[in-house]
Amino acid sequence: MNKVALVTGASRGAGRGIARGFGELGYTVYVTGRSTRPGTARGWDGSVLPGTVTETAAEVTAAGGTGIAAVCDHADDVQVAALFERIVREQGRLDVLVNNATYIHPQLIEKAPFWEKGLDAVNILDVGLRSAYVASWHAARIMVPQGSGTIAFGSS
């Protein structure tokens, strides 16, 4: 039986590496993120960020697994629900969820007390902590009935 993993926030960084690792193990890996075109995502300093869900999915496949790009904004519960419905429809199971998606506000890396930074930095709780809870809720509804599964946290 083919193992199925979902790695959130896998366009770049740790998520990308985790997804490739599952590919090396022969998994079918759903790779989520919002980046679909190279050069469209920007860092807090305005620099272009590398990586897209499509590129990571291709790397998973090249590593020996099956990479599936799944564009998903983990701040949107409707998109997240649709993602899990898709996985069940296409695979019939989910073996591993890696919660890695997060929101990094530009001011989070500035050297200043938190109270001097913009309050919108709190959005890390929505895409990070809250989104991991929502994804875990959906994953558990698949994993518990199948009698197996692992949920891991890479960020929050």
Side-chain angles (χ1 to χ4, degrees), residues 117-132:
K117 298 177 183 184
L119 193 54
D120 61 339
V122 76
N123 289 336
I124 194 170
L125 296 177
D126 291 332
V127 180
L129 186 58
R130 184 181 185 284
S131 65

Side-chain angles (χ1 to χ4, degrees), residues 116-152:
E116 292 179 5
K117 298 177 183 184
L119 193 54
D120 61 339
V122 76
N123 289 336
I124 194 170
L125 296 177
D126 291 332
V127 180
L129 186 58
R130 184 181 185 284
S131 65
Y133 181 89
V134 171
S136 298
W137 182 86
H138 284 285
R141 295 170 65 96
I142 299 167
M143 294 173 175
V144 170
Q146 74 189 21
S148 65
T150 301
I151 298 173

Side-chain angles (χ1 to χ4, degrees), residues 54-134:
T54 306
E55 290 171 348
T56 302
E59 291 175 5
V60 168
T61 300
T66 302
I68 300 173
V71 176
C72 182
D73 181 346
H74 285 274
D76 183 338
D77 291 350
V78 172
Q79 288 185 39
V80 174
L83 169 65
F84 281 90
E85 290 167 6
R86 175 183 176 190
I87 293 169
V88 169
R89 185 175 63 251
E90 293 177 0
Q91 306 301 324
R93 66 181 298 105
L94 179 63
D95 299 289
V96 179
L97 164 64
V98 178
N99 286 302
N100 182 69
T102 194
Y103 167 82
I104 301 295
H105 189 280
Q107 289 184 318
L108 287 176
I109 63 165
E110 292 177 4
K111 291 184 179 186
F114 79 92
W115 61 88
E116 292 179 5
K117 298 177 183 184
L119 193 54
D120 61 339
V122 76
N123 289 336
I124 194 170
L125 296 177
D126 291 332
V127 180
L129 186 58
R130 184 181 185 284
S131 65
Y133 181 89
V134 171

Side-chain angles (χ1 to χ4, degrees), residues 4-91:
V4 180
L6 164 58
V7 181
T8 71
S11 296
R12 62 187 62 85
R16 187 176 196 154
I18 292 166
R20 279 195 314 254
F22 279 114
E24 291 172 0
L25 296 173
Y27 277 62
T28 294
V29 183
Y30 284 79
V31 173
T32 72
R34 295 176 299 151
S35 299
T36 59
R37 290 188 325 253
T40 57
R42 302 245 175 224
W44 45 76
D45 62 356
S47 64
V48 174
L49 295 175
T52 68
V53 292
T54 306
E55 290 171 348
T56 302
E59 291 175 5
V60 168
T61 300
T66 302
I68 300 173
V71 176
C72 182
D73 181 346
H74 285 274
D76 183 338
D77 291 350
V78 172
Q79 288 185 39
V80 174
L83 169 65
F84 281 90
E85 290 167 6
R86 175 183 176 190
I87 293 169
V88 169
R89 185 175 63 251
E90 293 177 0
Q91 306 301 324

